[in-house]
Amino acid sequence: MPGQDHLDRTVVENTLPAVVQIVALRQGFMGNLSSAWTGSGTVVDPRGIILTNCHVANPRAMGMPAPPADKLAVAITERSDEPPVLTYIAEIVQQSPQMDLAVLQIVSRVDGKAVSNLNLPHLPLGDSDALELGDILSIFGYPGIGGETVTFTSGSVSGFTRQEDITKGRAWIKTDATIAGGNSGGAAVTTAGELVGIPTQAAAGSNVSPVDARPVVDTNRDGRIDDRDTPMAIGGFINGLRPVNLAKPLLQKAGVGSTSRRNPSPPVAAPAPAKEPEEKRSGGLKSLRKGKASPAPSKKAGPQFSNLVFSDQVTRDGRPINPTAMLSGERKQVFASFEFSDMENGADWGQAWAIDGKTALQDAGKWSDGESGRKTIVLSSRNNLPDGKYHLVLTVGKQVMAQGEVTVGRQVDDADTEISGQVIDKETNKGIAGALVIALKPGVRASEFVREQRQDMAFTSTKTDRNGRFTFVKQLPKGQAYGLIVVARGYRDMAIESALRISPQSPEKAQIYPIPMIEE
């Protein structure tokens, strides 16, 4: 693409609302929902049609080990500095495991209400065959590691690759733009704001060694850096994008028009939820959103509560952000959202919270939130809530309608070790703030993670504080070896095989040697 070598601010503002996070939700044995994996997607049609990777939407179709998702949720980007908001439910309408592409269609809001007349912000489709070496590309998505907010990186077209089983045109666009796990399915856009590629894999092409790896740190602590030390990745690597032209037949089958280079429509905000009544308190539980009454069905099936979701945040209108079954400690609030139907105002209902089996709060009252909708409650404390397993039971009359569990904070286990350390500049020995430190799952090689960058390869991750210090949120089970990945802006990436060897005799808390990083 001629001329421009950077992305215009207007193009960024138009692109962000069209980039979404895909959240695979699994239903727990007690009915609550939690995230199984996440990826990225791009809205390509205002009616709610989303383009993503097949391994994001349906990894089992790719032969990847993954549990079946009970629901595919769509979290929309409302602000670049805030996590995406769980808003819609989507279904797969087209998929190609061969090309690792899938098309989703939004079918309802997260509260189960059907959607109609959607007019979502979306990206126009570009012509990936018109790209040439050196063209600037910008990558948008939600990396599964390294933060909760939308991420932007940029680079240039480095080349093109063919694939034996894809006979028509370019199979891959190679780029030097940084793409982390979780960005899969996101957007690669031109300086004109057109979608031309889908971030899909870490290393472009087959039989490619994607990193410059050499011994640069005394990993065996023998006082020398030689070929006996574990090689570490110190350079960049080439990432692969699926050309959007390969996705156009799938999109056409899903009902997206075939015109590829149309002028982008001005972004239209997603339909705003109706204003809700002011917050109210009841025995320490705060109702944030009340459902609106809907026309009564001809025959009521009786009260129903479903899709109980725990989260660490909610929007002002009560939509959950970051649904999870495990929350970090040192927090004053835990949110729980659920859908309800066939309720009657005035009905007796109640909520009961227990922490590690001990009753923490019981609250009962008269229902006043209408017949159907979604309701969010919060357990709060002036001081930090204690660590432990939180069990919530929701009742109508004497009948249990829904229940679920969420874990808050680290769970102490003599079989685990809490690992702390520091990331430092090799030349100055000063701590590096904001470095991402990842402990890989036992059996996962650092070189494999560098190639594939899949979120499910990581056991735990954290970021360093302003002094470069870190403590992993999850404790590492003893008797295992864990690969270590360290990434910091302005420094060469590090990948150390089996860097953390936790013996069965390791203490409950362990401090590792400082990790030196080399400036780029």
Side-chain angles (χ1 to χ4, degrees):
M1 302 289 168
Q4 200 170 347
D5 62 355
H6 66 280
L7 199 61
D8 184 85
R9 176 71 175 268
T10 302
V11 174
V12 174
E13 292 174 349
N14 289 351
T15 301
L16 286 178
V19 179
V20 299
Q21 185 181 53
I22 308 300
V23 184
L25 296 176
R26 288 276 292 161
Q27 194 152 357
F29 70 97
M30 287 180 294
N32 57 306
L33 291 169
S34 61
S35 173
W37 68 83
T38 63
S40 303
T42 306
V43 181
V44 294
D45 188 282
R47 294 168 295 172
I49 296 177
I50 298 168
L51 179 61
T52 185
N53 283 137
C54 186
H55 79 258
V56 171
N58 186 10
R60 292 164 68 88
M62 301 283 297
M64 299 170 63
D70 293 309
K71 291 187 176 184
L72 286 177
V74 178
I76 63 173
T77 306
E78 294 190 341
R79 288 176 54 96
S80 62
D81 57 355
E82 292 181 355
V85 180
L86 210 66
T87 305
Y88 300 109
I89 300 297
E91 294 179 351
I92 301 171
V93 291
Q94 295 290 329
Q95 65 179 16
S96 172
Q98 175 196 16
M99 294 188 294
D100 195 5
L101 293 172
V103 181
L104 310 181
Q105 171 73 65
I106 290 174
V107 294
S108 72
R109 291 187 176 274
V110 74
D111 61 6
K113 292 183 178 179
V115 294
S116 60
N117 300 321
L118 282 176
N119 193 10
L120 298 181
H122 62 287
L123 289 187
L125 303 180
D127 182 0
S128 53
D129 287 340
L131 290 172
E132 195 46 86
L133 298 182
D135 285 345
I136 301 300
L137 294 177
S138 297
I139 313 298
F140 295 83
Y142 284 94
I145 53 179
E148 300 172 339
T149 56
V150 67
T151 297
F152 161 80
T153 59
S154 65
S156 58
V157 175
S158 303
F160 307 97
T161 305
R162 292 188 177 275
Q163 187 173 318
E164 289 184 2
D165 54 350
I166 297 177
T167 58
K168 184 178 180 181
R170 301 164 172 174
W172 294 103
I173 302 167
K174 295 190 290 187
T175 178
D176 58 4
T178 301
I179 301 174
N183 268 119
S184 290
V189 303
T190 64
T191 53
E194 295 177 327
L195 180 68
V196 290
I198 302 93
T200 300
Q201 67 171 17
S206 59
N207 300 317
V208 175
S209 178
V211 297
D212 176 12
R214 64 188 73 170
V216 293
V217 174
D218 181 18
T219 57
N220 62 3
R221 299 173 187 166
D222 63 359
R224 295 174 297 180
I225 298 176
D226 53 27
D227 57 8
R228 296 183 180 181
D229 293 301
T230 302
M232 292 177 295
I234 62 173
F237 46 88
I238 301 301
N239 288 295
L241 309 169
R242 274 298 190 201
V244 76
N245 285 8
L246 293 181
K248 287 178 180 177
L250 294 177
L251 292 171
Q252 290 172 358
K253 291 179 181 178
V256 178
S258 60
T259 302
S260 62
R261 298 183 61 81
R262 63 186 183 273
N263 292 325
S265 304
V268 181
K275 292 183 178 180
E276 303 293 344
E278 295 295 322
E279 300 174 358
K280 71 175 184 178
R281 291 185 177 273
S282 175
L285 292 169
K286 184 168 60 177
S287 174
L288 296 181
R289 185 181 186 189
K290 298 183 177 184
K292 297 188 299 178
S294 59
S298 57
K299 183 178 181 181
K300 291 187 177 181
Q304 299 288 328
F305 288 179
S306 61
N307 295 338
L308 175 61
V309 173
F310 295 97
S311 62
D312 59 355
Q313 302 176 60
V314 293
T315 60
R316 291 182 179 179
D317 57 4
R319 289 172 291 162
I321 297 174
N322 301 326
T324 184
M326 181 172 293
L327 300 170
S328 60
E330 298 184 357
R331 64 178 56 251
K332 293 181 171 62
Q333 296 176 320
V334 174
F335 295 93
S337 306
F338 61 95
E339 298 164 20
F340 62 90
S341 61
D342 291 333
M343 286 293 293
E344 292 184 359
N345 286 338
D348 293 325
W349 84 289
Q351 315 135 49
W353 292 82
I355 305 175
D356 290 335
K358 296 181 180 180
T359 299
L361 181 66
Q362 288 185 319
D363 186 69
K366 300 293 185 181
W367 186 265
S368 60
D369 293 326
E371 182 178 347
S372 64
R374 187 171 189 86
K375 186 178 180 68
T376 298
I377 58 178
V378 58
L379 178 67
S380 59
S381 172
R382 292 182 179 178
N383 302 314
N384 289 331
L385 293 167
D387 291 354
K389 288 188 176 180
Y390 284 62
H391 191 106
L392 171 63
V393 178
L394 303 172
T395 58
V396 173
K398 296 182 179 181
Q399 182 179 358
V400 174
M401 305 302 298
Q403 57 181 317
E405 265 188 4
V406 61
T407 300
V408 174
R410 300 188 183 97
Q411 299 304 294
V412 178
D413 189 336
D414 291 339
D416 298 341
T417 296
E418 179 183 279
I419 298 294
S420 300
Q422 186 182 26
V423 179
I424 61 172
D425 184 294
K426 180 177 175 61
E427 298 297 325
T428 66
N429 288 328
K430 291 183 178 180
I432 300 173
L436 174 64
V437 187
I438 307 167
L440 302 179
K441 290 181 178 178
V444 174
R445 294 185 59 81
S447 57
E448 293 176 0
F449 180 84
V450 170
R451 285 196 303 271
E452 301 181 27
Q453 296 191 26
R454 297 204 322 266
Q455 181 184 357
D456 59 0
M457 290 180 166
F459 182 82
T460 184
S461 64
T462 189
K463 281 193 173 183
T464 58
D465 63 16
R466 61 182 181 180
N467 297 314
R469 300 189 182 279
F470 67 90
T471 299
F472 285 125
V473 176
K474 291 177 64 176
Q475 297 178 3
L476 277 60
K478 298 177 182 179
Q480 301 281 357
Y482 304 82
L484 193 67
I485 304 292
V486 188
V487 179
R489 184 181 296 274
Y491 292 84
R492 296 175 180 176
D493 298 347
M494 297 180 65
I496 310 174
E497 301 287 1
S498 303
L500 304 175
R501 297 180 180 274
I502 314 299
S503 71
Q505 293 75 38
S506 296
E508 292 184 15
K509 295 186 178 182
Q511 184 85 20
I512 63 175
Y513 286 102
I515 304 170
M517 299 194 74
I518 301 172
E519 284 188 322
E520 290 181 330

